[in-house]
Amino acid sequence: QTLCAAKFVVKDPRSHDYQLGPALISLGIKAQKNLHLQNLAHPVLQKLAKLTKEDAFLIIPVGYKGVVLDRIDGPSSLKIVESFGVELDMHCGAIRKVLLAYQADDFIDYYLKNILASPQAFPKMSEKVLITALKKIRAEGVAVSHSDYVNGTIGVGAPVFNSLGKIIASVGIVAPSLRIPDDTKLEKIETSVIACGKELSSDMGYVEA
């Protein structure tokens, strides 16, 4: 009765079942404002680094670039140096490419015509190759890159969505190719990256359809 009075739940007069009430909408909005991506991501990155034994990254979109917001070092001494605040084009590496794959069509069209086609674009890539890669990422929910911007490396990235289903970040790892010698090892890493991306999305209020 108290919950009904506060409109947190409503009672169906016919079935006498209880359902979530309208008061939870404003409560959810307030909760959303208190969700801090970096704070929630940190333990997820720690888990990803432990599972993969590689450096784990959280990258956010800023304009048409992907920026490192957080990083957890894995146990290996051979590392790919990419620190907090590093900005690179969104088509550069798997973790950033995920950010581009889930953007709106008009965003991607602009990116292809103005960012990818510019002389400063890095790495150099044809429009056809990038479009194919973006479609594959959306279909599989994960991105894999080979030596996109550092020779002899493999990157794996997955999306992070908010409660509205909008991509707000990506998580993933970058490792020397010699530590991922076959498809079996790569698939295991992909599974871990996807799971951590989904976990952080859930923490941010996203409900998968």
Side-chain angles (χ1 to χ4, degrees), residues 45 77 81 83 119 140 154 178 182 190 203:
L45 292 181
S77 58
V81 178
S83 303
E140 298 179 357
I154 294 177
L178 59 88
D182 51 45
E190 286 179 39
D203 291 343

Side-chain angles (χ1 to χ4, degrees), residues 61 63-66 89-112 115-116 125 130-131 133-135 137-138 143 159 167 169-170:
Y64 296 98
K65 296 184 180 294
D89 289 338
M90 273 192 189
H91 69 284
C92 185
I95 313 176
R96 288 181 173 83
K97 213 171 289 178
V98 166
L99 297 174
L100 181 58
Y102 289 93
Q103 297 296 330
D105 290 343
D106 56 347
F107 183 104
I108 294 175
D109 288 342
Y110 181 90
Y111 191 95
L112 295 172
I115 308 301
L116 185 66
M125 186 180 298
L130 182 54
I131 290 174
L134 298 182
K135 288 180 179 178
I137 292 168
R138 289 194 295 269
I167 188 163
S170 58

Side-chain angles (χ1 to χ4, degrees), residues 42-64:
H42 200 75
V44 176
L45 292 181
Q46 288 177 321
K47 177 188 291 188
L48 183 57
K50 184 177 180 179
L51 288 170
T52 62
K53 296 181 173 56
E54 302 294 348
D55 296 351
F57 295 87
L58 174 71
I59 294 182
I60 60 170
V62 177
Y64 296 98

Side-chain angles (χ1 to χ4, degrees), residues 16-27:
H16 301 291
D17 290 334
Y18 290 91
Q19 299 176 342
L20 299 179
L24 290 174
I25 296 174
S26 60
L27 196 64

Side-chain angles (χ1 to χ4, degrees), residues 14 24 28 30 35 58 61 68 71 86 101-102 114 117 134 143-144 150 170-171 183 189 196:
R14 294 182 179 178
L24 290 174
K30 290 177 182 177
L35 294 178
L58 174 71
V68 176
R71 165 184 174 162
V86 172
Y102 289 93
N114 296 276
L134 298 182
V144 178
V150 179
S170 58
V171 295
D183 289 343
I189 289 177
C196 287

